[in-house]
Amino acid sequence: MPTSSATLPSLVVRMLRHARLGDGLPLLDLGTGAGGLTAYASHRIGDGCVTSLDVDSYLTSVAGERLASMGYHPKFVTADATKHVPGTYERIVCTVALPPGPGLRAVLAALVPGGRIATTLARTSLIVTGWKHTNGDVIGRVERDMAGFMLTRSGDDYPPALAELFSVAREAEGEQRCTGRYPVVDVANAWELRSMLEVTTPGVELGYETHGRTRTAYLVHPDGSWARASAEWTDAPEVHQGGPQRLWEALERIRNRLNAEGALPLLGAHVRITPDGVCHLSRGRWHTSMGAL
């Protein structure tokens, strides 16, 4: 699996706008990568106000050399942001997807009261922005904008995917067999569906493949649940499911809501992130929490 990427330049600019940079306000760029956002920010507010953090020492080293050749000398830090973030900042921009709950606590602690964060949440494409209040809560919203960033990691590589369970999903008959209501979809690239699935059923990993006109989607979960849905083009799929949860049914409930209401309640939702990293989302009568133990 890739462990780093160069973010689309237009997305870099959008994330900086979401963070509302200001002259003289210390900024943390979380997720150095190729160093693009660090370079933009250094040019905009001055490199003396910019710190760039990544878990990979190679990335911070090479980005430092790259920016020095351009005449910029921001501070680079190698650290695991899910465990500890050195320093405090008025603005934090994350181009990695942070896990709600304990993995978000260190980043929130590094944001000063009155400061602003712009980040995505793990396994979603939701851009969350908010201001930190004196009680430690971050209050904001889910922007009407989306982005897909890699998950944070704690070491040189990501832990192995659920390979054995994917093998089961590809071959097993399933404890339950049924005909699905909707065509097979590549959930990973249906960003709003993917985001809502993570909100309602956290931790699902995805697979998708095509053979001619046949499309097959796989969903697996660390608790041992799995689902496979396969069909030709837009035909109703044959669905196999196993384990304690019915993952394809969870996805179809989301698609039912989308079809019935014309939209999901995510974009524009109100957000409150408590110091323990739990993200509370609400919009109208809908509300949920992400990252609660």
Side-chain angles (χ1 to χ4, degrees), residues 143-164:
E143 297 288 342
R144 294 185 179 277
D145 189 8
M146 305 188 87
F149 292 123
M150 293 181 178
L151 295 170
T152 55
R153 53 191 172 94
S154 295
D156 292 338
D157 207 345
Y158 288 104
L162 300 173
E164 293 184 7

Side-chain angles (χ1 to χ4, degrees), residues 68-94:
S69 70
M70 300 163 59
Y72 297 121
H73 301 276
K75 182 179 180 181
F76 286 91
V77 175
T78 301
D80 178 359
T82 65
K83 305 296 184 184
H84 175 64
V85 176
T88 55
Y89 307 91
E90 295 275 357
R91 300 289 186 268
I92 297 179
V93 182
C94 307

